[in-house]
Amino acid sequence: MLRSVLVVMLALVALAAAACGGGNTAATASAPAAASTTVPAAKTQADAPTTAPAQPTTAPTAAGKATTPTQATAAPTGAAAPAAAPAQAAGGGVKLTLVPDSSEARFLVKEQLAGNNLPNDAVGKTKTLQGTVVVGADGKVDKAQSKITVDVNSLKTDQPMRDGFIKQSTLETGKYPTAEFVPTEIKGLPSPLPKSGDVNVQLTGDMTVHGTTKPITWDVTGKIDGNTFKGTAKTAVKFEDFNMNPPRVPRVLSLENNIRLEMDFQYNIS
């Protein structure tokens, strides 16, 4: 009888132990499940605050990009608009740039040489020149930007002996190697400048030769073809106008005290 009671008790203890083990397993399984369910939920909830603050951050940034840069850009554009009128007015003028390879400056002096029955012209030429003439929209010459320069030391005639004498004794090119003309006034220039056709003007300015400056006027005749102005400019001076001594050599019987100055020119118009 006692043995039977012990057997029953042991069986009950075993059942209880088995029941406790099964309960722990379920609890353990439930705990991770609950933890898994809770953790993702916590992450999702945590993301919501992260996203919510991002909206205010994005909104100011977008506003800054949309408002501040656009206004800053618009301001300079608006400020530049009033300056357009002077620019257009300045654009009404023209700039003439000399093309040296297509231009030539020269002097002509009538002389009578021994052994010749008739007088002839002593002609000195050079292509070593450069210059610009700027005329504003008002038709006035911009003296600050206008000047034509000729290298008188490069002048050549048909006789090297004459060239040497003129350069040393008349022009004194060692002291005064260049001649300059600064335009101050132009008369007869049509405004606006036509794209084609004949142009006849008078160009007045200050000419410096042999260290002396005198006002002279050139008669200019030319033709405009698109952006090119070709023609000839002519004037006349005397030796004493620029404190020069007329050349005196045995072969020259006589020499006119009248120096004709000419320039065949080509200007690019811009």
Side-chain angles (χ1 to χ4, degrees), residues 3-262:
R3 175 181 280 184
S4 298
V5 173
L6 290 174
V7 170
V8 172
M9 289 180 66
L10 290 172
L12 290 173
V13 171
L15 288 173
C20 290
N24 291 338
T25 305
T28 304
S30 299
S36 298
T37 304
T38 304
V39 170
K43 288 182 180 179
T44 304
Q45 291 174 355
D47 289 342
T50 304
T51 307
Q55 292 176 351
T57 303
T58 305
T61 303
K65 288 182 179 179
T67 305
T68 306
T70 303
Q71 291 175 351
T73 304
T77 304
Q88 291 174 356
V94 293
K95 179 180 180 180
L96 307 175
T97 304
L98 194 66
V99 183
D101 291 343
S102 301
S103 304
E104 179 183 273
R106 59 183 173 269
F107 70 81
L108 301 90
V109 180
K110 194 169 291 296
E111 64 181 5
Q112 177 69 55
L113 299 178
N116 290 355
N117 295 326
L118 297 174
N120 67 285
D121 285 333
V123 183
K125 306 176 181 179
T126 180
K127 285 183 173 292
T128 309
L129 63 164
Q130 59 183 352
T132 301
V133 179
V134 177
V135 182
D138 57 359
K140 295 182 178 180
V141 176
D142 186 341
K143 294 181 287 185
Q145 300 187 65
S146 303
K147 183 166 69 173
I148 298 169
T149 303
V150 178
D151 178 7
V152 295
N153 197 45
S154 63
L155 286 166
K156 291 183 178 181
T157 69
D158 59 348
Q159 296 186 22
M161 184 177 295
R162 178 199 286 132
D163 297 344
F165 186 90
I166 291 175
K167 292 176 184 179
Q168 291 177 15
S169 302
T170 304
L171 291 170
E172 296 185 275
T173 57
K175 294 180 181 179
Y176 315 106
T178 61
E180 295 181 352
F181 176 72
V182 177
T184 58
E185 184 182 8
I186 188 167
K187 293 181 180 179
L189 185 69
S191 181
L193 199 67
K195 288 293 183 181
S196 62
D198 296 333
V199 174
N200 298 303
V201 300
Q202 285 189 322
L203 187 62
T204 299
D206 296 323
M207 185 167 179
T208 302
V209 178
H210 194 244
T212 302
T213 301
K214 293 284 185 181
I216 66 169
T217 298
W218 296 77
D219 292 321
V220 182
T221 302
K223 186 171 185 177
I224 294 175
D225 183 7
N227 294 325
T228 301
F229 180 31
K230 292 182 178 181
T232 301
K234 297 181 179 180
T235 191
V237 298
K238 298 184 181 300
F239 286 100
E240 59 265 25
D241 289 342
F242 296 95
N243 294 323
M244 295 186 296
N245 297 317
R248 302 292 184 189
V249 293
R251 191 182 176 193
V252 178
L253 301 180
S254 63
L255 186 71
E256 284 189 0
N257 187 20
N258 185 56
I259 307 171
R260 286 169 284 154
L261 302 177
E262 297 180 354

